[in-house]
Amino acid sequence: MSVVVWHAYHGAEERALQDAADQFEKQSGVDVQIVAVPWGGFDSKVETAVPRGNGPDVLITGHANIGKWSKLGVIEALTPIEGLRPFTVEALTYNGKVWGEPLAFKSPVLLYDPAVIKVPPRTTDEMLALAADHTGPGKYGLAYEASTAYYHGAWLHGFGGSVLVDGLAALDSAPSTEALRFVASLAPYLPTRPTADRVGQLYDDGNAAMVISGPWFVADRTRPIAAATLPIVSATGQPARPYLTVEAAMLCPGHDGQALAFAEYLAGPEGAAIRRDEGFQAVAADVPLTNPLLATLAAQAESAVPLPVDPDVQTAFEAENRALRRVLRGAVSPENAAQEAQAYWKSLVKPRPEPASPLPYAIVATFLGLLGAGAAGRAIGSRTAQIRTNATDYLWVLPATIAVFVLVAVPFLVGAGVSLFATWQGDYVFVGLDNFVNILTSRDWPLTSPMSFFYALGVTVAWTMANVALHVTLGVTLALALREPWIRLRPAFRALLVLPWAVPSYITALIWRTMFDAQYGAVNQLLGAQIDWFGSFFAAFAANLTTNTWLGFPFMMVVTLGALQAIPRDLEEAAMIDGAGYFTRFRHVVWPLLAPALLPAVVMGSVWTFNMFIVVRLVSDGEPDGATELLVSQAYKWAFTRGNLYGYASAYAVIIFFVLLAYSRVTARLLARNKP
Amino acid sequence: MARIRLDAVQKRFGATRVLDRVDLDVADGEYIVLLGRSGCGKSTLLRCIAGLEEVSEGRVHIGDRDVTDVSPRDRDVAMVFQSYALYPHMTVARNLAFALEIRSRPRAEIDAAVKDAADLLDIAHLLDRLPAQLSGGQRQRVAMGRAIVRRPAVFLFDEPLSNLDASLRHHMRLELKRLHKRLRGTFVHVTHDQVEAMTLGDRMVLLDGGVVQQVGSPRDVYETPANLFVAKFIGSPQMNLWEAQGHGAHTRVQGVDVDVPVPADGKYTLGVRPNDVRIEAGAPMTAKVEIIEALGDEAFVHLLWGEQRVVARVDPRTAYDVGEDVRFTFGRAHRFDTTTGSRLP
Ligand SMILES: Nc1ncnc2c1ncn2[C@@H]1O[C@H](COP(=O)(O)OP(=O)(O)O)[C@@H](O)[C@H]1O
Ligand SMILES: [Mg+2]
């Protein structure tokens, strides 16, 4: 028997965990297997593996999921050991029970460059003054992921607010508004919309005097860095109170008998000492934390607020993120942003849906099923002789048929089935066609809101047309140019121009995203401009369009090169002698012969573009505020970032399917007409 | 006014020289035929006149203008391609009208010109069809129609008849001749078929390996071939050729004294057309009949003359037996330098 442990640590923390496990093995003779699971997939892996009995014995992760996981039965309650800091045990308590052995705690703190800042600010006024002093061209007084609700928590709580009050969002409360106003006053000293990596790079390049981040940030730095607790909010006299995460060893149901012993060893003084000294963790065990960073974390923990375990917090965070983005962009006043955020949250959090009676649906489904079965039966019946003579042929295609059925038909049917349900706090409620009615009548939003189906449809159609027009124009132009005899090194150019197609598209999308960065992006540097590419609809749309055109033109170019080969050169020569110049020749001779050959490519390209998820997700990610979202990415957001409305998202997917089905019927007719 | 003049025109594709110092002067209204084997550079020469190829060296003049650097559309030429190159997506009417339409001529003028051309070529009933709905001969007519609708000064034809079957080809030859009379333009016609060249051309140009071998009227070229190449190329069956040794008034071919009316010394190549081999009793030379080729209104006998072969044109009504000995003599004979191939006086 052995104890299997899943964790998402890396670097020093992972080594410390392994060392502690080795020590435990030596002392107890129990075999411990430490398995690293990528951080990004940790939660979903746990949620799928554990209920099927494929999970580990012990999970090491933050406390934020205990609400959901205790409900799902993914973890078991336990009695924690003695000698732990009380707040860590508290963070792991839910419904009166403790759901893991607390191991370590983490929160954002104020990090600063000791070479520049001699005395860290004690109040927010001091911090603002310091930030102002250290902001200049390319330099920022303060850098942090300001547009995320997670980091914003420090100010929100410092002003006396809270995201959830009694399970309901309080995004428009007076403290919330004040906190937003405060962030607006920070905006001049902050980089625009930075990612964690960007903040780190700014610091390493000496371009950020102060940073708000956690111990994970310190571990990756190449330059000296100092830590202090976050400042006192001058307006209220209260300390800034960041979100606190407590990492714990949690037990999964059916765990090995020795799992608890291992968790207790890890949390206890001996395991804690190893983790503190080798992994630089602020450990939950009540042992001294003398390292300056750990001491700061301990001091910060006194004011920190544990991340809420209520699953609903995700939706409130989504609304708060939006408010932060809009305030930092200067799009709305903090007051309006606060009110919008609250309204947005309300629209996301739906009341428990009224279940619909499945009876009429069952009748219709049965009827359709019988009809289908009858038709299939008749089709087979009328061809029995043929089927019998060709039995081996059918046998040959059977594997492919099964594969198509399993990989295409089954997921489609399951998805279509899910679209008839509403998901509400993890439960599925049968609502029939209500999701469709809701989407197609735009019940929750005005038609012109970026959240409405028709807005997204409009954007998607405009996106598809603009892209295809650009891909064809660029592809055809380049293909024609590559034919010209005066272009030297044609094969080299041809290879070069196909390159954007050969590079995996997500890499290309990420590169373009970086290039469109407002402050460091190559695009702005080339243009000598300061355009906030994701701050307005047209700029963000243009950024997406540019990226996707880069990805899409080589296909059209290659198709055009092929099609041009099929146009005899002497037709053009005849036109030349007839007196046609280059453009007349193109318009009257080349294009009419090229267009029919391009049509199938245009049809395919438009379907790909219509569903071009990667570019939108990785470049604009729907910014500003969902305005550049396509139907597919909208469906994704509903499923994964706006409260897991799987039914609603599936309904979106089904509608997309029917839109494209209609489109393909029309184009199939067009193509058929085009056949000579 | 469309005289065509080529001055030392050279054309190279990379390192390969396709035309080598071609000089040519075509009179206004002349029908000239470029004749040569496939790959000898005929099309290239035509395309240089049209402006579809830039010459590597030399000058091209059409009319009074030096058009060497003028684009095809400003040379006032029309061309019929070997493939016809009809615009497949346009009706016959639009194919004919295209050149005028892009020059924004008035509609009435275009319609009249299309009608004239269609009537002239007897394709008025095809105007609404697409090229794909036409037979080969009809396409050929449309291609010619497209050339004449604009009434250019120069007409260029690149093997216009080679994709037609034999009877249609004969018919279209006459048509071309008629057309030339009617239009009085300068015609340049490329072909590899000597019959076409002989029947159509006012003059013909023989090309080989990108070099002009001879320019002259069909009669000239037939009767006084400038060199061995021309002698072999023109005339069917080919001219008889032998190595000969001259001693003053005597000429010996494989040990036989041959009666050639031109005195010469040394080695040379003797040529006699089958027409000029006369079979008659009492003639000085003897040969054995090997094959008889009867073609209805003419006949050829192939004779074995020692080691050599002799072809003679004979009256088809005279009967010969294979293996029979006949006596023969030469009428007109040609002499060529064996090493350089050029004609000797
Ligand atoms: N674009 C070209 N590039 C290279 N070689 C060419 C090109 N066009 C023609 N040639 C060569 O030039 C020679 C003459 O071609 P062409 O004028 O078409 O001959 P013809 O019409 O007498 O059959 C041929 O050997 C051909 O291979
Ligand atoms: Mg040719």
Side-chain angles (χ1 to χ4, degrees), chain A residues 5 67 207 263 277 286 317-318 347 365 368 372 416 574 631:
Chain A
V5 182
N207 289 328
D277 299 337
D286 202 358
F317 272 13
E318 161 83 11
S347 69
L368 288 178
L631 288 176

Side-chain angles (χ1 to χ4, degrees), chain A residues 144-148 152 180 182-194 321-334 337 532:
Chain A
Y144 75 104
E145 293 168 74
S147 59
T148 60
H152 185 63
L180 283 175
F182 172 70
V183 166
S185 73
L186 283 179
Y189 318 120
L190 296 173
T192 312
R193 225 177 276 116
N321 286 341
R322 183 181 147 102
L324 285 163
R325 289 197 301 265
R326 287 171 69 78
V327 164
L328 283 165
R329 202 163 73 227
V332 288
S333 68
D532 179 8

Side-chain angles (χ1 to χ4, degrees), chain A residues 397-408:
Chain A
V397 295
L398 193 64
T401 312
I402 293 173
V404 168
F405 186 75
V406 170
L407 296 174
V408 179

